[in-house]
Amino acid sequence: MHTRAIVRRPGRNFAGGITTSNLGKPDYEKALRQHAAYCDALARCGLAVTVLKADERYPDGCFVEDTAIVTRDVAVITRPGALARRGEEKEIARVLSGYFETVMIEEPGTLDGGDVLRVEGHFYIGISGRTNREGARQLSDILARYGYTSSEKEVRDGLHLKSDIAYLGRGNFISTPVFSEMVQGASTIILDNDESYSANCLLINDYLLIPGGFPQSGKKIADLGYNIIEVEMSEFRKMDGGLTCLSLLF
Ligand code: GLY
């Protein structure tokens, strides 16, 4: 059960972040409105939301998920894989140290939280353009100290592991065709290719946040009986960001 979330408001230079999406430049005012609606959705799920002010040094700074892996026992502070994002983790480490023991991923390791998919007590760690094997090894060693298991998964396409797959609890996954076979024996919803963005959805307590505008996915997910909250994400999608990217939950 989660009780808290940390988010960071997008800065005025949000459009200057890293993206491969080719969906055009985000509208800053619209991004702020969508971010506020996202925070409202978190509150509706029962979370106390800490909203950090924008840090204009980091255009991608609203994507706080990449800066830490938070468990009940420890917060692992990452070393982001993109040079332009390195440093975002410092303020997050300061905030999380008020709640948890914190442990840092050290050079030459790199790790983005978007590559870390937690499934109960197991963590899948994506090896991607952002997360290297050394970062994955360090995370795995830290998690093992607290009784968690982990395994690595190659991410060949897409930004992060969680760009393509989410765990919905109760043994259910949602995935693009890319990772449809990742978890043997699990119940996995396979999304249509043209709705692959909706693989990045976010389970919070009894609620499931899904991005607005993906009708086929919405229907498939609705069949599983979750309390669904749709959140408009168009401006974050333009910057390769999804629902999980915008918060740290604990
Ligand atoms: N724009 C998010 C990222 O590339 O990390």
Side-chain angles (χ1 to χ4, degrees):
M1 185 88 179
H2 289 121
T3 58
R4 292 182 179 277
I6 296 173
V7 303
R8 194 196 316 261
R9 234 185 274 283
R12 281 186 304 279
N13 58 357
F14 175 57
I18 308 165
T19 186
T20 57
S21 78
N22 285 325
L23 293 171
K25 194 175 161 184
D27 176 322
Y28 178 54
E29 294 302 325
K30 193 169 175 187
L32 287 180
R33 286 196 296 278
Q34 291 184 346
H35 195 263
Y38 177 85
C39 293
D40 288 348
L42 299 185
R44 198 173 141 197
C45 297
L47 305 183
V49 184
T50 300
V51 184
L52 304 178
K53 63 180 195 304
D55 184 338
E56 300 295 339
R57 292 173 298 171
Y58 301 111
D60 282 309
C62 61
F63 300 124
V64 291
E65 172 186 54
D66 291 319
T67 60
I69 315 301
V70 186
T71 75
R72 192 190 51 199
D73 317 279
V74 65
V76 181
I77 308 303
T78 69
R79 184 166 179 269
L83 272 178
R85 299 197 57 187
R86 219 162 275 163
E88 287 177 25
E89 73 282 5
K90 291 195 176 122
E91 168 70 357
I92 298 295
R94 191 191 64 71
V95 175
L96 286 174
S97 66
Y99 299 96
F100 299 99
E101 177 190 354
T102 56
V103 182
M104 315 291 291
I105 297 296
E106 306 283 355
E107 192 177 358
T110 64
L111 181 77
D112 276 14
D115 279 319
V116 182
L117 173 66
R118 180 172 183 174
V119 180
E120 313 298 344
H122 187 81
F123 289 74
Y124 292 93
I125 308 172
I127 304 300
S128 70
R130 299 290 177 86
T131 297
N132 64 17
R133 291 203 186 274
E134 172 60 18
R137 188 195 61 73
Q138 290 182 29
L139 176 62
S140 178
D141 287 353
I142 296 163
L143 292 171
R145 278 185 238 148
Y146 294 89
Y148 299 105
T149 56
S150 59
S151 55
E152 294 180 7
K153 186 78 201 157
E154 293 282 346
V155 179
R156 294 203 174 82
D157 301 309
L159 177 57
H160 288 130
L161 178 62
K162 282 190 286 192
S163 307
D164 281 280
I165 187 164
Y167 180 57
L168 308 184
R170 304 184 219 157
N172 295 315
F173 290 78
I174 185 166
S175 172
T176 65
V178 177
F179 286 123
S180 55
E181 303 294 324
M182 185 170 123
V183 188
Q184 300 294 329
S187 145
T188 303
I189 296 174
I190 312 296
L191 299 172
D192 301 339
N193 267 324
D194 58 348
E195 296 210 353
S196 60
Y197 178 75
S198 57
N200 185 271
C201 47
L202 179 59
L203 181 74
I204 307 176
N205 304 332
D206 294 331
Y207 293 89
L208 184 65
L209 271 57
I210 66 171
F214 297 89
Q216 298 309 323
S217 308
K219 268 188 219 142
K220 290 181 185 181
I221 297 167
D223 287 347
L224 293 175
Y226 291 93
N227 296 320
I228 289 175
I229 303 178
E230 279 198 29
V231 183
E232 294 307 322
M233 289 290 292
S234 62
E235 305 316 292
F236 297 100
R237 187 181 182 198
K238 289 174 184 171
M239 300 309 296
D240 284 350
L243 285 163
T244 65
C245 309
L246 288 177
S247 58
L248 285 164
L249 309 179
F250 52 98

